[in-house]
Amino acid sequence: MTTPWDDWNHILKIDPDKELPEGVTYGDLCATGTDAIEVGGTMGITEENMSAVIEACAEHDVALYQEPSNPEVVLEDNALDGYLIPTVFNAGSPFWITEAHKEWVRLEGELDWERTTTEAYIVMNPEADVAELTEANCDLDADDVGAYATVAEHMFGQEIIYVEYSGTLGDEAVVEAAAEATDESTLFYGGGIHDYDSAYTMAQYADVVVVGDLAHDEGIGAVRDTVDAANDA
């Protein structure tokens, strides 16, 4: 089965709780050449700020996905191409593995399953908000991460495996181990991508590099450099 992300190299993740650099618009970000816009964040996320970013990006010709951090901020919007739902495999609390998802189903009933895909997160930076929120066990080596990736693909049938170093550039050996452990799943990498070289390095192992803070901190030119690197790798 083919999926949209089979053809992706680059995702730009926009955090609704963060400001854009002066003079930069969401339209500018959509025009960087990224394959997809993913709207989501860990802290300070509301229906209102999610909706504002989605509406601004929906006017442009780029794939648009929501990555909700909890069931309360999921938006039913036809402008979205779909929903990418994290399930944190190394979470210390089961809430972030299945319970949040159960609550979403309980509250909403029948979901739009054709547009909903889970992402098997492996969170690796203990200082990141997502690690603290999910109580993730980040004391993992390359073998551990490779094993998680294998479990995610072959036991749980995850289409997307996401090695997340949010806020810092990850260990190449860890990302390589995840890549070697996957056969059919698409490997996302996110964390610390700040220029052409860092994007190129991680894109040698990951199928898709995810760039987030750079858009908020540096703006258009820096994001475009990472798009070029992901396509060149």
Side-chain angles (χ1 to χ4, degrees):
M1 182 182 71
T2 60
T3 65
W5 37 90
D6 286 340
D7 296 323
W8 295 355
N9 296 318
H10 187 282
I11 293 173
L12 183 58
K13 183 183 287 190
I14 299 176
D15 188 333
D17 192 45
K18 295 180 179 179
E19 299 293 328
L20 298 183
E22 185 176 354
V24 174
T25 68
Y26 291 113
D28 294 332
L29 294 176
C30 291
T32 55
T34 188
D35 294 301
I37 299 290
E38 187 175 44
V39 183
T42 302
M43 309 300 287
I45 304 302
T46 66
E47 283 191 23
E48 290 74 19
N49 59 22
M50 271 278 194
S51 180
V53 175
I54 289 170
E55 287 181 12
C57 294
E59 301 175 6
H60 305 277
D61 187 21
V62 62
L64 181 60
Y65 286 76
Q66 185 186 17
E67 187 187 61
S69 55
N70 64 74
E72 285 74 26
V73 299
V74 176
L75 300 178
E76 295 183 14
D77 193 323
N78 290 331
L80 292 167
D81 289 281
Y83 305 89
L84 298 176
I85 311 299
T87 174
V88 182
F89 268 51
N90 60 325
S93 166
F95 183 82
W96 302 106
I97 304 172
T98 56
E99 288 188 12
H101 314 72
K102 177 267 292 180
E103 279 301 292
W104 184 19
V105 171
R106 186 182 67 82
L107 292 169
E108 296 296 328
E110 185 65 24
L111 303 184
D112 187 351
W113 294 115
E114 290 187 1
R115 295 198 299 157
T116 301
T117 304
T118 52
E119 306 166 294
Y121 261 69
I122 306 168
V123 175
M124 293 299 292
N125 179 9
E127 298 181 0
D129 288 342
V130 64
E132 295 181 8
L133 181 67
T134 63
E135 303 172 25
N137 172 22
C138 302
D139 187 20
L140 305 175
D141 61 19
D143 288 342
D144 293 322
V145 172
Y148 266 125
T150 298
V151 167
E153 178 174 1
H154 293 287
M155 289 186 177
F156 289 86
Q158 296 294 289
E159 295 178 18
I160 298 169
I161 297 168
Y162 193 142
V163 177
E164 171 66 287
Y165 273 89
S166 182
T168 189
L169 192 64
D171 184 339
E172 287 182 52
V174 166
V175 184
E176 183 177 16
E180 291 178 348
T182 56
D183 295 320
E184 300 296 330
S185 298
T186 299
L187 180 63
F188 287 12
Y189 169 82
I193 301 292
H194 59 277
D195 58 12
Y196 180 98
D197 290 341
S198 56
Y200 186 89
T201 295
M202 291 307 175
Q204 293 181 82
Y205 310 110
D207 299 304
V208 181
V209 294
V210 182
V211 174
D213 289 343
L214 194 66
H216 299 281
D217 297 338
E218 301 295 336
I220 304 306
V223 173
R224 284 198 180 113
D225 285 345
T226 64
V227 172
D228 290 342
N231 291 332
D232 289 346

